[in-house]
Amino acid sequence: MITTELTIINKLGLHARAAAKLASTANRFASDIKLTSNGKTVDCKSVMALMLLAAAKGTDIKLECNGSDEELAMTEVTGLINNRFDEDE
């Protein structure tokens, strides 16, 4: 299991489109991928669960990947978050 701390930096936070993109990316991997914010941990493969975090811009999150492809999953998901979910800003 590997973990990292990140900050949501895109203007609109973890809104519907960003949550869908994050879940789509996470679903490409066999590993369990969890996101924790404000003491609440959710499965990154669920759009609805991600949206329930209500993670606005500036929210600190913890990303946890556990499984056979955890390193690749961590790289891809971290890249997506750090690239503002590929949104223009």
Side-chain angles (χ1 to χ4, degrees):
M1 176 173 55
I2 55 177
T3 63
T4 191
E5 304 283 330
L6 301 163
T7 301
I8 300 293
I9 58 173
N10 63 310
K11 183 175 159 184
L12 298 175
L14 196 51
H15 59 95
R17 192 173 336 121
K21 190 168 259 196
L22 181 53
S24 176
T25 300
N27 274 299
R28 295 192 336 235
F29 301 99
S31 293
D32 289 328
I33 305 171
K34 306 285 185 198
L35 195 66
T36 302
S37 174
N38 296 319
K40 186 172 184 180
T41 301
V42 299
D43 183 354
C44 271
K45 296 181 180 184
S46 168
V47 176
M48 290 305 295
L50 289 168
M51 290 188 60
L52 288 175
L53 287 177
K57 181 178 181 176
T59 301
D60 292 323
I61 59 172
K62 178 178 144 186
L63 179 64
E64 177 183 303
C65 299
N66 186 21
S68 59
D69 54 0
E70 64 188 23
E71 289 184 22
L72 183 57
M74 179 65 77
T75 300
E76 291 288 321
V77 174
T78 300
L80 179 66
I81 293 169
N82 287 336
N83 196 35
R84 297 178 168 88
F85 300 95
D86 300 325
E87 296 175 353
D88 293 330
E89 297 233 358

